[in-house]
Amino acid sequence: MPPHLSADHPAAPPPGRGSVDALISQARRLKGEVDAVRRDTRPDGPDPQDRWQRALYDLALHQLDDLDEHLAQLRDGPPPVPPTPETALDVPAAPPAPRRGSLLSRVGSAEWNLLTDEASWSGELYQILGRDPAAPPLTLDELPSLVLDEDRPKLTAMVTDCLVDARPIDGEFRVVRPGGDVRTVHMMGEPVLDTDGSTASMWAVLRDVSELRRSQRTVDETRDSLQRHRHRAQTEHRLAVELQEAVLPPWRGSLRLPHQGPETLDLAAHYLPSSTSAFIGGDWYDALELTDGETLLSVGDLTGHGVAVTSGMATLLGAVRGMAMAGTQPGQLMAWLNQLLDATVQPALGSAVCCRYRPGTRTLVWAQAGHPAPLLFRDGTGRRLAAPAGVLLGATSGAVYEQAEETLRPDDLLLLHTDGLVPGHGRTDSVHRLLDLAPRFGEARTAQDCVRMIVEEFGETEREDDACVLVARVTS
């Protein structure tokens, strides 16, 4: 009875990429050596032991091919996925590396004598097929009774080609063991010819490849799932970008508001996307001339990323514009905005600053909801405005938001921004970094020049979240 292969080794920790490359080289070198020895054996010799050795050499080459493929998968890893919180929730985990037992799986052997109609099976083959070792081995005519109905034609064709046309057998089929367990078996074999050239017997080596095929299916299904998720993520990103472009102010560069009158604000703004997330966030900026001649300035941030958050941001921004156009003052506007967010189906938190600028008196009336206060730059220095009370939007029902007033002067510069404008720094440190730009702002001629300085200073740094900045310069 021929020897068989087994592999009941404990799982080892995954090696590094260099170690895997070394294992791949060793596997390929071993495959070459096995193939060289295999060519020295006689598949049609009179000694049955030679035939079994040749069969096991063929099987070893198949095993090494599988090992090479799995090592390459281990080295290359699964396809990349956009690193976002959404993908961490939605993308299925990559399948674990196959156990060593699935690479070097159970192997049995058999020989069917066509002249005597006798069969000989190894003990391993009985275990693979789930047969009682005390029972007689099945003949070639009886063997299909173990095979799934849809795979029987495949087995019949392989055996017929071997017996009639002397073709080697190399194929797979599924067998049903007692109890209903289905196993996938890979069969390799060759005919043994008599002195007159007719087929005298057929030998075969059968290998249980169920775990290997299951692992391959898992890898394929995971790859398909990752590709579908990547396509969905790309579609959502495109929709979020289009939605954001549709709702943010259409002006680029600089803007002067109000359009009529001597007292105006020179305005400029910029949106800085996250460098680590493929999804658009909920940050916004806005400047709008109101019906009474005043100017609305606002910035805000709705927590999260993706189409749903961008849609929520569009809803909040639309509400801010509508209420401001109706004459609602910043404190009351924030209270109603909080009520709106509190009533949404999907719970969310947001922060915002809303300002009304009265050009006739150069008065700024403003309120905030858990947001960084505006920064005021005057005569080469800067300071943070004292913030009136106001909690995050959506944090509590019935919240009250206070207002503050600030009288501005010609050439004053007001800076509104969302968190994350200065990457890698907390809110207090970010304010200090922005205030340090005061001397340079004093030399700037326009609001657009100031925005350009901010982007040059902080825009190239890797940021984990989106950010917005809005600069308003008082002209006379």
Side-chain angles (χ1 to χ4, degrees), residues 307-351:
V307 174
V309 172
T310 309
S311 177
M313 176 269 287
T315 300
L316 290 183
L317 183 53
V320 169
R321 290 170 174 170
M323 288 187 285
M325 277 292 189
T328 306
Q329 293 301 302
Q332 183 62 62
L333 189 151
M334 285 296 179
W336 286 346
L337 207 62
N338 176 68
Q339 186 176 346
L340 174 64
L341 194 59
D342 187 53
T344 57
V345 176
Q346 296 293 336
L349 292 175
S351 67

Side-chain angles (χ1 to χ4, degrees), residues 14 69 79 106 155 159 182 198 234 269 350 357 365 388 398 409 429 445:
E69 177 184 348
R106 191 181 299 277
L155 174 62
V159 172
V182 177
S198 61
Q234 291 170 348
Y357 177 68
V365 181
R409 303 175 185 175
D429 289 341
R445 300 180 59 185

Side-chain angles (χ1 to χ4, degrees), residues 172-175 182-186 207-210 213:
E172 293 182 6
F173 53 88
R174 290 165 296 171
V175 298
V182 177
R183 308 297 293 180
T184 302
V185 176
H186 181 230
R207 172 188 174 204
D208 186 346
V209 294
S210 304
R213 296 299 173 251

Side-chain angles (χ1 to χ4, degrees), residues 124-167:
E124 287 288 338
L125 184 54
Y126 277 95
Q127 295 187 42
I128 291 173
L129 301 180
R131 299 282 294 175
D132 182 357
L138 299 181
T139 66
L140 285 177
D141 292 334
E142 297 170 330
L143 184 61
S145 65
L146 303 180
V147 180
L148 282 180
D149 291 344
E150 55 265 39
D151 288 358
R152 286 177 186 172
K154 184 189 304 182
L155 174 62
T156 300
M158 288 191 300
V159 172
T160 300
D161 290 343
C162 180
L163 299 181
V164 176
D165 299 327
R167 294 181 185 177

Side-chain angles (χ1 to χ4, degrees), residues 1-159:
M1 200 65 63
H4 61 269
L5 303 178
S6 63
D8 299 323
H9 304 291
R17 183 182 180 92
S19 301
V20 175
D21 287 334
L23 288 173
I24 292 175
S25 298
Q26 293 175 12
R28 292 175 179 174
R29 183 167 57 251
L30 178 59
K31 186 167 62 175
E33 295 172 355
V34 171
D35 188 48
V37 177
R38 169 185 169 276
R39 287 194 294 268
D40 293 335
T41 62
R42 297 181 58 190
D44 56 351
D47 188 352
Q49 185 66 25
D50 290 339
R51 296 199 300 272
W52 293 124
Q53 289 179 353
R54 172 63 176 251
L56 290 176
Y57 284 135
D58 288 340
L59 181 62
L61 289 174
H62 274 265
Q63 300 266 18
L64 290 170
D65 284 336
D66 290 337
L67 178 61
D68 191 3
E69 177 184 348
H70 279 71
L71 287 172
Q73 292 174 351
L74 180 63
R75 177 193 60 193
D76 299 335
V81 179
T84 69
E86 287 79 1
T87 57
L89 291 175
D90 295 341
V91 177
R99 300 186 305 274
R100 293 183 182 181
S102 67
L103 295 178
L104 301 177
S105 49
R106 191 181 299 277
V107 178
S109 58
E111 183 168 9
W112 290 274
N113 191 312
L114 303 182
L115 302 180
T116 63
D117 202 26
E118 294 178 343
S120 175
W121 285 11
S122 69
E124 287 288 338
L125 184 54
Y126 277 95
Q127 295 187 42
I128 291 173
L129 301 180
R131 299 282 294 175
D132 182 357
L138 299 181
T139 66
L140 285 177
D141 292 334
E142 297 170 330
L143 184 61
S145 65
L146 303 180
V147 180
L148 282 180
D149 291 344
E150 55 265 39
D151 288 358
R152 286 177 186 172
K154 184 189 304 182
L155 174 62
T156 300
M158 288 191 300
V159 172

Side-chain angles (χ1 to χ4, degrees), residues 19 29 74 88 108 180 188-189 195 221 259 274 328 334 342 355 361 372 405:
S19 301
R29 183 167 57 251
L74 180 63
M188 296 175 57
T195 54
E221 291 169 358
H259 296 295
S274 167
T328 306
M334 285 296 179
D342 187 53
C355 310
T361 59
E405 290 191 10

